[in-house]
Amino acid sequence: MKLKDIFISKLFHILERNIGKQRFELMKLVIKPYYFDALMASISFNNIPFYFNIYRIGKDDVMFLFRRIWEYDCYMLESITKESPTVFDIGAHIGVFSRFVLFKKPNAKLWCFEPDVDNMRVLKMNLVDFIRNVNLVEKGIHYKRDRQKLYVSKKIDWRSTIYTSDEFMKMFQRNEFEPKYEVDLQDLDSFVSENSDKIKSIDLIKFTIPGKVEHLVLEKSVETISRFKPQIAIYSYPENHNTVRKFFREMGYMEIESRWYKYVVDNFRRSPDILVFRPSN
């Protein structure tokens, strides 16, 4: 037996001991070990293991994400008063925000969008105990229906993107990203329309879309926003702040400040990276 096979076998038994009742779900993740290109580690939150691939993200970065979401509630879940809200986690990554939602709102219904295959594998592991609450969508939300190459950082980093413009890439080290595989993309309005039998309400949409195109994605989300009037938390690049704020003013929304917003401004003296908006009435 090859070393990788031994590792996968050991990993499965560790996972089985932690989440034994979901053995079948885990089997589906490791049934083809040669495609399971990961080295897994876990940390415990609320007595439930949270997994991450250390090839893609370090423990310090995971802890930063937990702090930003669990301690500072950067997406302002606390403003959602419904006990069983419907939440769209667009750019779900490995599930830090989704797990936060399900901890605070155990009856919430989540739609998790994640085009990165490696992240989706880990996301499934982290949500396996909550599978009845979650719809996993293996595609990215974009401003048009498309299929494009995904680029992944060569560093230990969670970054992956379909956007390779010179303007975007100058933020990173030269040749930091390498092409991996093609992923499916779709605009939010057409996705919601095609799933209208399942989507009866949306209370919170969290957008995390790399590439400085958040304003373009919003333009293809107007029908959904107009219909459901959800609270929206969006990762926005500073140069797009004015465009994003103008969009929401025209949609009849007001901006609200999270504790994370104030923390960033007070401690880093820079514009916040996450903007939160809710309907004015």
Side-chain angles (χ1 to χ4, degrees), residues 22-36:
Q22 296 290 351
R23 188 170 192 266
F24 179 68
E25 291 294 328
L26 295 173
M27 275 294 292
K28 288 195 292 187
L29 293 175
V30 299
I31 197 69
K32 295 180 179 179
Y34 291 106
Y35 296 97
F36 197 77

Side-chain angles (χ1 to χ4, degrees), residues 65-76:
L65 291 177
F66 266 94
R67 187 180 184 207
R68 187 170 74 171
I69 293 169
W70 286 65
E71 182 179 344
Y72 287 96
D73 191 16
C74 60
Y75 302 117
M76 290 290 287

Side-chain angles (χ1 to χ4, degrees), residues 214-228:
E214 62 274 20
H215 56 298
L216 300 177
V217 172
L218 287 172
E219 290 173 4
K220 290 297 185 178
S221 307
V222 169
E223 292 178 12
T224 300
I225 295 170
S226 298
R227 178 184 174 190
F228 295 109

